[in-house]
Amino acid sequence: MTESNRRCLRWIFALLTAYFVLQVGVRLATSHSLDLDEAEQAFRSQWLAAGYGPQPPFYNWLQYTVFQFAGVSLTALSAVKNLLLFSSYVLYGLTARLMLRDKALVAIATLGLLTIPQMAFEMQRDLTHTVAVFFSASIFFYGFIRSLKQPSLASYLIAGIGIGFGLLAKYNFAILPAAALIAALSDARLRPRIFDWRLVLTAAVALVIILPHLFWLKDNLDFATARTLEKMTASGHASYLTQVAMGVSSLALAIISFAGLTVAVFAFVFGKSLRPALSSGSEWTRLLERMMLVFLAGILLLIVFGGAAGIKDRWLVPMLFILPLYFCLKIEAVGVATDRAFRRFMPIVAVIMIGVPAALYGSVAAAHFTGHYERLNRPYAGMLETLRKQAEPAAILAGDSLLAGNLRQDIPGVPILSVDYPGFNPDLSSRRPLLLVWLLPQKGGSEALPPDMAEWLQANLGASAPEASVIDVPYFYRRGGDSYRFGYAWVNQRAE
């Protein structure tokens, strides 16, 4: 890599560093409360396991490790996510540098990831396992391209690490290396890179990484896949043709949602030059086209033969994250001048880099004016602080994992259980007082102890349902005197 190329990458990475540091700062300033995926990580960090449920454990393992050194906190949660995102962009930029000669296109390809809403906004809002997929895909893609262009033991090793991490991030990641393998095998010039003894190293490394989870998966296959299959096949009692139509239409909508803004931005930036670029090609663009076709064919097979009826746009991350790079490769193949396009592109990047953090903060803070509250407006910490003045809990049973995870960051030394997750069930027979907490309907509804919590008490402690109470705590960014209602109860007697 020339010194000029290194300087090109340095300013891109410096800009991305500033952006992700800003994202951490905005998240910490927005709210102390945790959203769904964040709370899941906090709750499940109480134990280390080879598997936790519907999602593979890569992100859980990583977050657990960080918590062991840094403690359970929002700072640790946000830092891990943004470090993974930053690393993914860096790897993507290095891959772009391998495939592109034009430095402006390297910058546009790398920063073009910000034009994908699922990656620029949704990953910051509340996704963890999808972030891990993006990180793993970036590792694999860099190793894969480097193995094709500059093959070495290191490149095949990197590809294997990416596959191993990816399969531990989400099971649908498997389609990406399969698509890459088929795409490379279909090109006679690339085939020798696949029939290379070093590919054994790739497979061995991937297998070693996923082996502990594979042993767990063997005994927990239904537990691990039931929820995902339920989401995918949620077509009610629709006929087969209706289910296929629903699946295909949801896939089409997911592709438009994922790629629409990126296509619009590239059309604006490159103008009329984009049209001839789309009909041009190179060895690299043809490879990526075959990969995308195989990936989409795999999803279509899931729809036609697997009963999938609802494809989510975030499920496309393992493959369609290459779109900005693909468009830049097309543009370079036709020889379009890029100086003017780069000048038009950077203001868009600036708007996104300022607009996304502002939107994330504003979506929560705007409740002060609108009275519309998000999960991050809920005052979990204030509720716990008030209840701890009544008594110091020796253990807590929460009504769901969202509540359990939020409590965990403010009282990390106390075991916190959730009735919706039976996989963590330590002995509480000698822990008193036991605090029971649950979310209450904000408009009407019963204030009594939920039946599933009463059943849990009877089954696990042989205790009858205690008297329930209600606590009202002001929202974060509340309008007027608005408050959130929690139900709670104390179990003080010791088990005989």
Side-chain angles (χ1 to χ4, degrees), residues 98-99 140-152 155-156 159 180-181 183-185 187 189-195 198 283-284 287-288 290-291:
L98 283 173
M99 303 175 77
F140 168 75
F141 193 52
Y142 173 67
F144 174 64
I145 295 300
R146 188 170 156 184
S147 294
L148 295 180
K149 187 173 182 179
Q150 302 170 357
S152 64
S155 67
Y156 283 87
L181 179 67
L185 284 174
D187 188 326
R189 290 169 296 180
L190 300 178
R191 214 168 289 151
R193 301 291 181 243
I194 302 301
F195 295 114
R198 288 170 290 195
E283 180 183 7
W284 291 125
L287 173 70
L288 299 189
R290 292 193 299 271
M291 287 177 64

Side-chain angles (χ1 to χ4, degrees), residues 145-433:
I145 295 300
R146 188 170 156 184
S147 294
L148 295 180
K149 187 173 182 179
Q150 302 170 357
S152 64
L153 275 175
S155 67
Y156 283 87
L157 175 65
I158 292 169
I161 293 172
I163 294 172
F165 285 176
L167 293 175
L168 284 179
K170 272 186 180 288
Y171 299 123
N172 69 342
F173 181 90
I175 304 179
L176 174 59
L181 179 67
I182 294 171
L185 284 174
S186 62
D187 188 326
R189 290 169 296 180
L190 300 178
R191 214 168 289 151
R193 301 291 181 243
I194 302 301
F195 295 114
D196 188 304
W197 69 268
R198 288 170 290 195
L199 191 65
V200 175
L201 176 65
T202 301
V205 168
L207 181 61
V208 168
I209 291 173
I210 65 173
L211 200 57
H213 183 62
L214 283 180
F215 285 120
W216 177 89
L217 191 63
K218 176 178 65 70
D219 298 322
N220 297 273
L221 187 60
D222 289 341
F223 180 45
T225 58
R227 185 178 167 190
T228 301
L229 292 174
E230 181 182 350
K231 287 181 180 180
M232 290 177 58
T233 59
S235 58
H237 300 288
S239 66
Y240 172 73
L241 290 179
T242 302
Q243 171 264 309
V244 171
M246 290 172 63
V248 172
S249 61
S250 69
L251 174 59
L253 288 174
I255 292 172
I256 293 170
S257 173
F258 195 97
L261 180 60
T262 303
V263 173
V265 167
F266 273 78
F268 171 77
V269 167
F270 289 97
K272 295 180 180 179
S273 301
L274 187 62
R275 187 174 298 173
L278 293 177
S279 60
S280 65
S282 66
E283 180 183 7
W284 291 125
T285 62
R286 287 187 287 273
L287 173 70
L288 299 189
E289 285 163 359
R290 292 193 299 271
M291 287 177 64
M292 287 188 283
L293 285 173
V294 173
F295 184 87
L296 294 176
I299 295 178
L300 286 172
L301 288 175
L302 284 176
I303 293 171
V304 175
F305 298 107
I311 305 299
K312 306 294 185 183
D313 49 23
R314 63 179 178 271
W315 297 350
L316 305 180
V317 167
M319 188 68 251
L320 295 191
F321 81 106
I322 66 174
L323 274 177
L325 177 56
Y326 170 70
F327 286 140
C328 287
L329 287 165
K330 284 277 195 179
I331 289 159
E332 185 170 77
V334 82
V336 174
T338 57
D339 290 347
R340 182 168 176 266
F342 181 75
R343 289 193 296 270
R344 299 181 76 178
F345 179 72
M346 287 310 296
I348 297 174
V349 171
V351 169
I352 294 172
M353 285 186 158
I354 296 170
V356 168
L360 290 166
Y361 180 82
S363 65
V364 179
H368 179 71
F369 306 101
T370 65
H372 175 73
Y373 297 102
E374 304 288 342
R375 283 186 290 266
L376 294 186
N377 292 108
R378 295 177 184 173
Y380 303 102
M383 173 268 292
L384 182 60
E385 181 181 3
T386 301
L387 294 181
R388 291 178 77 178
K389 292 176 182 177
Q390 298 180 14
E392 191 66 26
I396 299 175
L397 176 64
D400 58 38
S401 296
L402 173 63
L403 180 53
N406 272 278
L407 297 174
R408 163 86 170 137
Q409 70 164 333
D410 289 308
I411 189 167
V414 171
I416 300 175
L417 289 71
S418 174
V419 293
D420 68 357
Y421 190 85
F424 179 60
N425 194 20
D427 181 18
L428 302 184
S429 59
S430 62
R431 288 186 173 270
R432 296 293 185 274

